[in-house]
Amino acid sequence: MDNTLTLLKALSDRNRLRIVLALTQYEELCACQITELLQVRGATASRHLSQLTGCGLLQDRKEGRWVWFRLLEANRHQPLLHWLHSNTAASAEYRHDKQRLKQITAMDPAALCRQQRGETCCPSESLPL
């Protein structure tokens, strides 16, 4: 019962629900893409992602400087995720997020990182003179 309560508490937050719904549409998203979608600070997005990972909905993997998140494969919560998707797909916020994600995922993660944090985060590679 405690696991169920933890899961439901995690999904009761609008931004965490938006993350889960985004990941039903994309195999995986980088933390910077999720931060951009939510329009929150990196620390806030990280806290949301940590809660979703902790309750068993997400898994993460590190690739260089990037941390990628995905829904757990063989997720025992699949019926719940399907129900959430079917009950939110018609909402204006979901449609807006879906459109926004197309734009966000079209960007290079390094360019997105520079946009969020400045040049010191992910310096542009300059051409030799």
Side-chain angles (χ1 to χ4, degrees):
M1 179 108 132
D2 288 342
N3 291 342
T4 302
L5 288 174
T6 302
L7 172 70
L8 293 175
K9 283 180 185 179
L11 290 172
S12 70
D13 178 87
R14 177 181 301 276
N15 282 333
R16 289 191 292 272
L17 180 57
R18 289 172 66 202
I19 292 168
V20 169
L21 291 171
L23 287 167
T24 64
Q25 300 301 305
Y26 289 86
E27 185 174 327
E28 63 182 2
L29 292 168
C30 179
C32 63
Q33 294 169 322
I34 293 168
T35 300
E36 187 69 18
L37 173 68
L38 300 178
Q39 291 292 291
V40 297
R41 299 186 73 99
T44 301
S46 179
R47 188 179 75 246
H48 288 313
L49 290 163
S50 176
Q51 285 185 279
L52 291 169
T53 302
C55 75
L57 276 173
L58 303 185
Q59 65 184 28
D60 62 347
R61 71 176 177 87
K62 187 148 174 68
E63 183 180 299
R65 71 175 69 204
W66 313 114
V67 181
W68 296 88
F69 291 87
R70 65 174 45 221
L71 292 170
L72 277 173
E73 291 181 26
N75 195 323
R76 68 181 189 275
H77 306 296
Q78 202 60 38
L80 175 61
L81 295 175
H82 179 73
W83 180 84
L84 288 171
H85 185 265
S86 65
N87 281 281
T88 57
S91 76
E93 186 172 22
Y94 175 80
R95 289 192 314 270
H96 179 264
D97 280 356
K98 191 173 178 180
Q99 185 61 35
R100 183 90 174 98
L101 273 169
K102 285 181 186 177
Q103 298 166 345
I104 292 169
T105 55
M107 292 180 72
D108 176 57
L112 186 57
C113 182
R114 278 192 299 281
Q115 178 181 308
Q116 292 171 345
R117 298 182 180 184
E119 192 67 29
T120 57
C121 171
C122 304
S124 302
E125 300 197 20
S126 57
L127 297 172
L129 298 174

